[in-house]
Amino acid sequence: MVTASTELGYNSKVEGDVVVTRADAVINWIRTNSMWPMPMGLACCAIELMAVGGARFDIARFGAEVMRFSPRQADCMIVAGTVTYKMAAHLRRVYDQMCAPKWVIAMGACASTGGMYRSYATLQGVDRIVPVDVYVSGCPPRPEALLDALMKLQAKVKREPATQRLFSDDAPPRADLH
Amino acid sequence: MASGNDQSNAAAVTSAPEAGNLLGFLRNKGVAATERPSSDHPAFNVPAGEVVATLQHLRDEQAFDLLMDVTAIDWAEGASPRFTVVYHLLSTTRSAYVRIAVNCASDTAPSAPSVVSVWPGANWHERECFDLMGIKFEGHPDLRRILMWDEYPYHPLRKDFPLAGIETALPDADVTAETGTRVLAAPMAGGPFVATSGEINLTEAEPRAKDESWADRRPRPDQEGLKQVRE
Ligand code: SF4
């Protein structure tokens, strides 16, 4: 049975201990554990990305199971596959539509470097068009490797000066692109 | 599907479709076809002006009811004719293929008649052929590039186009302005990646650069000593 609380305001007997912390730590703790991915599945690596979402590997354990197909609701773009030059501009547009703070994982050899597609049609690494936070090697990477990348990204996000960036332009410096 | 029409077609050509029979058939129809050397299926050279009629006859009277492929050959710069357009037809009722080849008159601005009027499915085949080989299909209803973007200045499957590509602009100027990225020639780092067919060991068979001067596992002969020191 649910009874309406009659308490108004703070009551130390009810609320228990007070935790003192820094805003950075709280904000980063929230961010790291609800990092919604934008599944940019462009080729075979996307199949492994799907496996990561399945029950066996269960990306939900890391709070990143909510694959958002709208960039406006996503925090972390997982580029899983071969990026052609024709696709590169669209990928950048999707990235531009994601709300800051936002991160990018380059999953697999193709997204990281162009992989085996050393050809006229393939962008030689997605870091030429968007800033990449974590690269995952493999062709395709094992699902565990992607989970590892996600954990690495979480560790990276935990070190970010979140409060400083709250009121500043969060755009990454241009030097990240080359 | 098995209409009376199909069966009568099949019945008319139940005998093995020998190249000679088909050649005789085309000649009877007034097509100046000549036999073309082929190691598998019957193949014929046809003048460019008669290709639409040829395909129509083969479809309507010889039961070649499926256009498998429209592609082209680039015989490399300097050859004349430089470009040959090739059509592959399949008869689903008698399981036979035939190949029709058309030499393009011009070596610099090759063109061929479009066969979309006979097979609507030729539309995308011809667009691909135009995109990658630069063959202009006369009479095509919508001859745009299909794989590369519209402004792309080259035809990448031509023999004189390098696999790595040629530096050019990205399709979207605003993205270039934002990122400073252009289409660059890909680094070849020891040649293109090729798979070794027939290799049992998958580690050996997987695609790799054949010139492995940079690989850990197979040092260059002059680095043999170095490798041993490291191990
Ligand atoms: S890295 Fe390998 S598996 Fe992944 S998209 Fe490229 S070719 Fe496919």
Side-chain angles (χ1 to χ4, degrees):
Chain A
M1 200 171 91
V2 181
T3 50
S5 168
T6 52
E7 298 285 348
L8 295 173
Y10 178 68
N11 180 332
S12 66
K13 294 198 186 75
V14 174
E15 299 288 335
D17 297 331
V18 174
V19 178
V20 180
T21 179
R22 290 177 302 121
D24 271 359
V26 175
I27 292 169
N28 287 341
W29 174 69
I30 294 166
R31 283 181 182 167
T32 49
N33 293 301
S34 68
M35 205 175 275
W36 291 4
M38 163 86 222
M40 185 52 86
L42 300 175
C44 10
C45 272
I47 302 295
E48 296 300 298
L49 178 59
M50 293 172 213
V52 178
R56 190 180 184 88
F57 297 98
D58 198 10
I59 202 172
R61 292 177 293 155
F62 304 89
E65 78 279 20
V66 194
M67 300 275 171
R68 290 283 106 171
F69 293 89
S70 161
R72 295 173 205 284
Q73 301 169 350
D75 305 303
C76 168
M77 181 194 269
I78 301 178
V79 185
T82 320
V83 186
T84 59
Y85 282 117
K86 200 173 172 182
M87 192 69 196
H90 305 297
L91 190 142
R92 176 72 205 195
R93 294 234 165 80
V94 170
Y95 176 80
D96 284 342
Q97 289 174 43
M98 288 166 60
C99 299
K102 52 191 171 183
W103 301 276
V104 177
I105 295 178
M107 177 184 181
C110 284
S112 303
T113 68
M116 61 178 169
Y117 300 104
R118 301 238 177 95
S119 89
Y120 59 90
T122 308
L123 184 72
Q124 301 294 305
V126 73
D127 52 5
R128 289 186 51 207
I129 205 107
V130 291
V132 174
D133 293 280
V134 184
Y135 300 83
V136 192
S137 63
C139 178
R142 292 271 321 165
E144 295 94 327
L146 185 64
L147 291 179
D148 183 50
L150 185 65
M151 286 154 71
K152 285 216 160 54
L153 182 57
Q154 289 180 335
K156 184 173 177 176
V157 170
K158 282 201 180 118
R159 294 195 306 269
E160 278 182 357
T163 31
Q164 282 175 31
R165 288 193 181 171
L166 274 184
F167 304 105
S168 71
D169 181 10
D170 196 40
R174 276 294 289 274
D176 282 13
L177 289 169
H178 45 87
Chain B
M1 176 64 208
S3 69
N5 191 19
D6 280 350
Q7 281 167 2
S8 68
N9 274 349
V13 289
T14 36
S15 61
E18 294 299 329
N21 291 353
L22 280 175
L23 186 63
F25 166 79
L26 289 177
R27 289 268 169 82
N28 279 343
K29 291 289 171 190
V31 175
T34 52
E35 204 165 343
R36 180 182 171 80
S38 165
S39 61
D40 45 12
H41 307 294
F44 305 101
N45 286 315
V46 169
E50 292 169 21
V51 61
V52 179
T54 305
L55 297 191
Q56 183 113 41
H57 290 316
L58 287 172
R59 184 190 72 179
D60 294 345
E61 290 157 58
Q62 292 288 327
F64 284 101
D65 48 358
L66 182 61
L67 178 70
M68 295 292 291
D69 198 11
V70 178
T71 182
I73 308 167
D74 178 0
W75 298 103
E77 260 173 313
S80 191
R82 179 173 168 186
F83 294 98
T84 304
V85 180
V86 182
Y87 304 85
H88 287 109
L89 308 188
L90 168 69
S91 169
T92 54
T93 47
R94 60 190 223 205
S95 304
Y97 287 95
V98 65
R99 184 179 301 126
I100 302 293
V102 182
N103 289 329
C104 297
S106 165
D107 294 339
T108 48
S111 69
S114 168
V115 298
V116 174
S117 54
V118 186
W119 270 288
N123 189 318
W124 283 15
H125 287 299
E126 290 180 355
R127 280 179 64 186
E128 183 184 9
C129 199
F130 163 71
D131 185 359
L132 302 179
M133 284 293 208
I135 313 275
K136 197 157 183 294
F137 286 91
E138 308 288 350
H140 191 287
D142 178 30
L143 195 62
R144 282 177 298 134
R145 287 181 181 268
I146 192 168
L147 295 172
M148 307 304 283
W149 55 99
D150 285 340
E151 302 81 23
Y152 192 68
Y154 306 105
H155 299 291
L157 285 196
R158 287 190 175 181
K159 285 272 195 293
D160 52 3
F161 184 89
L163 172 62
I166 300 176
E167 180 169 351
T168 175
L170 271 185
D172 301 74
D174 55 333
V175 172
T176 310
E178 200 173 344
T179 62
T181 299
R182 289 169 60 77
V183 177
L184 298 179
M188 273 299 149
F193 277 61
V194 209
T196 310
S197 54
E199 183 76 57
I200 307 292
N201 182 343
L202 282 181
T203 313
E204 298 292 320
E206 78 176 8
R208 63 179 70 234
K210 287 301 171 191
D211 169 17
E212 295 198 314
S213 44
W214 43 268
D216 277 350
R217 294 182 55 239
R218 291 193 195 138
R220 274 206 300 246
D222 57 340
Q223 290 179 342
E224 210 74 63
L226 273 180
K227 174 88 175 172
Q228 278 162 6
V229 170
R230 245 189 280 140
E231 286 172 355

